[in-house]
Amino acid sequence: MARKAYLLSGARQLQELRDRDALALEEAREAARAANGKVEEMVLRSQASALALEVTQALLHELVPGPGVGQDGLSESHRAQQTQTAPEQDPVASLIRAFIEERSQAARSEIVDHVQQLRPGTKPGSVSAELSRLIKRGDVVRCGRGVYGSGSRPAGNGAS
């Protein structure tokens, strides 16, 4: 009799485990269906974004064709017009240009040190980003790896 009660108790526990596992399995399957739906949605969105970018780039190329177009899609003449009409907004840019002008060439580390001495708290990444912008604008030229020199424009007011 005790053995029968023991076996019945074990059978009930196994049924409960089976029912819980079946429920967990169904929940996992539902989660997998939802995840697959999300993956399909993201694939479609990614494809739509890529297509939109391709069309936009083609339209941009039609508007501004030729070799004078930069990665930002602006022609050299448009970029020059922008830099001529915009006064120097960033004092970090002014510091970089003045430092390079007075030395004719400077290493990136020297430029960073100089800016940080005059503007404590300026992060090296900020100086590097501004240096890149100055290169794109033609205010500074890369003379070698990590070495920069004066560009074609004077360091004063940001105009040609």
Side-chain angles (χ1 to χ4, degrees), residues 140-155:
V140 171
V141 294
R142 186 174 278 118
C143 302
R145 186 173 181 170
V147 179
Y148 304 92
S150 297
S152 59
R153 293 186 13 196

Side-chain angles (χ1 to χ4, degrees), residues 39-92:
V39 167
E40 289 174 15
E41 176 187 346
M42 295 313 299
V43 166
L44 289 174
R45 286 182 67 169
S46 176
Q47 290 170 344
S49 295
L51 181 61
L53 175 61
E54 198 174 301
V55 169
T56 302
Q57 286 176 331
L59 290 171
L60 185 58
H61 183 70
E62 288 175 18
L63 292 173
V64 191
V69 178
Q71 283 185 327
D72 57 3
L74 297 177
S75 67
E76 294 298 327
S77 61
H78 179 72
R79 190 177 294 107
Q81 180 184 7
Q82 265 188 329
T83 57
Q84 287 174 0
T85 58
E88 193 72 64
Q89 296 290 325
D90 189 359
V92 172

Side-chain angles (χ1 to χ4, degrees), residues 4-5 8-9 28 30 46 50 60 69-70 75 80 94 110 138 149 153:
K4 183 179 177 182
L8 283 173
S9 173
E30 183 60 35
S46 176
L60 185 58
V69 178
S75 67
S94 298
E110 295 173 323
R153 293 186 13 196

Side-chain angles (χ1 to χ4, degrees), residues 10-151:
R12 273 188 238 119
Q13 288 177 350
L14 289 172
Q15 285 175 338
E16 287 175 15
L17 284 173
R18 180 200 63 194
D19 293 345
R20 277 189 275 174
D21 288 345
L23 182 61
L25 177 61
E26 187 55 37
E27 288 173 354
R29 285 182 175 152
E30 183 60 35
R33 281 191 289 270
N36 284 336
K38 186 70 173 173
V39 167
E40 289 174 15
E41 176 187 346
M42 295 313 299
V43 166
L44 289 174
R45 286 182 67 169
S46 176
Q47 290 170 344
S49 295
L51 181 61
L53 175 61
E54 198 174 301
V55 169
T56 302
Q57 286 176 331
L59 290 171
L60 185 58
H61 183 70
E62 288 175 18
L63 292 173
V64 191
V69 178
Q71 283 185 327
D72 57 3
L74 297 177
S75 67
E76 294 298 327
S77 61
H78 179 72
R79 190 177 294 107
Q81 180 184 7
Q82 265 188 329
T83 57
Q84 287 174 0
T85 58
E88 193 72 64
Q89 296 290 325
D90 189 359
V92 172
S94 298
L95 292 174
I96 293 171
R97 286 179 24 183
F99 184 69
I100 293 173
E101 284 281 324
E102 74 183 34
R103 307 179 97 220
S104 80
Q105 285 188 350
R108 180 193 169 280
S109 59
E110 295 173 323
I111 297 167
V112 169
D113 290 343
H114 174 74
V115 171
Q116 287 180 326
Q117 284 175 357
L118 297 176
R119 291 184 54 99
T122 303
K123 295 181 181 175
S126 299
V127 176
S128 294
E130 191 57 43
L131 193 53
S132 293
R133 280 191 283 279
L134 289 169
I135 291 167
K136 286 180 184 175
R137 286 184 11 199
D139 295 340
V140 171
V141 294
R142 186 174 278 118
C143 302
R145 186 173 181 170
V147 179
Y148 304 92
S150 297

